[in-house]
Amino acid sequence: MPFLQLDPWSKQLFDHHDCPDDLAIPTKDSDAFRLNPDHNWAYNKLVIAERQGLRCAPHGIAPDHYPVFSKPIYNLRSMGLGSGELHSFDEYEQALAPGFFWVELHEGEHFSTDVAVVDGTPRWFSFTKGYPLPGGTFDYWELMAGDHPSLRTYLGAFIEANFPNYTGMMNFETIDGRIIEMQLRFARQWTDLYGEAFVPALVALYGDNHWPGDVEIPGTGYSVIVFGPVRQYRKPSAAFAAH
C-alpha cells in the first residue's frame, strides 16, 4: 500500500482513495527518516533548537540558567522516557544521560501544525491546539478551522530557510510559537477531520510534486483520548465503528 506502515485503525482513512502503487507516503517517522536522507536532520531536536537560536547544549555541558527542559536528541519511536524540567544544577546532575540535551524552557500554547511543502515552499497549513494535562499528556486537541498568522509566518520562514528542495508533508510541535520537534510526515489522527479532499491532495503532492488549492478544513474538530485513566468511555461495537 502506498501509505506506509499503517496501523489497522488508520487504514480506513486511506484505503477508499485511488493511489498509484509506486508511491511511498510515510505515516511513521522511521519511514520518513529513511525516505528523506537530505532532510532527516529534522529529527535531531538539538539542531532544531540551534537553528532557532535557542539556548541549548548536549548533556555534559551544564546549563548557565534554569529552568531548562531535558529530553533525548533523537526520539523516533515516542520513547521520551526521562524527559522533564530541570530547575537546578543538582537536578541536572541527577538527570545526566547519554543522548540527551537541554534547551531553554518555553511555556504557553501548544500546537501541532501540519504543512504541505512543495520544493521548499509551504502551500497549506493546518493548526491544532493541544490542551495539556499534568505529566506531559493531553486532555484533547482542537483542530482550528481558521488561520494562525503568527505561527504561519514563523514556520513558513523556518521551512524556506532550512528545507530547500523538500517536497512532502511536515508536522511541527510548537510551544509559545517555538519549535520543540518536527516530523517529515503529517499527523494521521487529524486525517478524517481534514475532509475528503485531503488524501487526494497527498497523492498529488507525493506523486506530482503539486498541492491542489481546494483543500479546505470543513470546520472545527476535536481529537479526544477516550481510553485511559482520564476517561473510561465504553468501546464502540464493530458494527457502530463500521459506519
Side-chain angles (χ1 to χ4, degrees):
M1 188 175 184
F3 290 88
L4 301 179
Q5 289 201 29
L6 292 178
D7 296 321
W9 68 266
S10 61
K11 289 183 179 180
Q12 62 185 319
L13 302 173
F14 306 97
D15 59 10
H16 61 292
H17 292 278
D18 293 329
C19 185
D21 291 335
D22 60 349
L23 287 189
I25 302 175
T27 66
K28 289 191 175 181
D29 293 321
S30 55
D31 288 316
F33 187 97
R34 175 178 54 84
L35 291 169
N36 295 281
D38 292 336
H39 300 100
N40 60 20
W41 66 264
Y43 289 97
N44 185 318
K45 290 191 282 292
L46 176 57
V47 173
I48 294 170
E50 290 173 338
R51 294 202 178 191
Q52 295 179 95
L54 304 180
R55 290 181 292 179
C56 59
H59 279 201
I61 301 175
D64 58 2
H65 67 286
Y66 295 92
V68 297
F69 198 87
S70 170
K71 56 186 174 180
I73 295 174
Y74 280 98
N75 179 18
L76 268 70
R77 296 192 63 184
S78 301
M79 298 176 67
L81 186 65
S83 299
E85 296 180 16
L86 305 178
H87 296 87
S88 66
F89 180 74
D90 288 342
E91 289 187 5
Y92 162 73
E93 284 198 313
Q94 294 174 13
L96 277 173
F100 273 61
F101 81 108
W102 59 264
V103 62
E104 63 183 81
L105 182 66
H106 290 282
E107 298 179 299
E109 292 185 325
H110 190 134
F111 276 87
S112 172
T113 303
D114 277 341
V115 187
V117 182
V118 178
D119 198 25
T121 301
R123 298 296 189 188
W124 179 85
F125 288 81
S126 169
F127 305 98
T128 304
K129 183 179 178 179
Y131 291 84
L133 291 170
T137 60
F138 287 89
D139 189 11
Y140 65 95
W141 293 84
E142 180 182 15
L143 175 66
M144 297 173 55
D147 197 6
H148 193 306
S150 62
L151 198 51
R152 173 190 287 267
T153 299
Y154 185 84
L155 295 179
F158 187 89
I159 292 168
E160 292 178 350
N162 292 282
F163 290 90
N165 306 317
Y166 175 77
T167 294
M169 294 298 298
M170 300 186 73
N171 177 264
F172 293 87
E173 298 286 334
T174 59
I175 295 178
D176 194 27
R178 294 297 176 263
I179 303 165
I180 60 171
E181 64 179 79
M182 67 177 77
Q183 295 84 26
L184 301 175
R185 56 164 176 79
F186 58 99
R188 282 179 299 161
Q189 60 265 44
W190 322 138
T191 301
D192 56 337
L193 301 177
Y194 287 161
E196 282 295 308
F198 178 69
V199 175
L202 287 177
V203 176
L205 179 65
Y206 285 89
D208 302 322
N209 296 337
H210 165 70
W211 183 261
D214 59 351
V215 183
E216 296 185 4
I217 297 173
T220 302
Y222 297 90
S223 178
V224 181
I225 298 172
V226 296
F227 309 115
V230 177
R231 294 181 176 87
Q232 293 293 337
Y233 296 138
R234 185 175 60 185
K235 183 177 181 179
S237 67
F240 179 85
H243 290 81

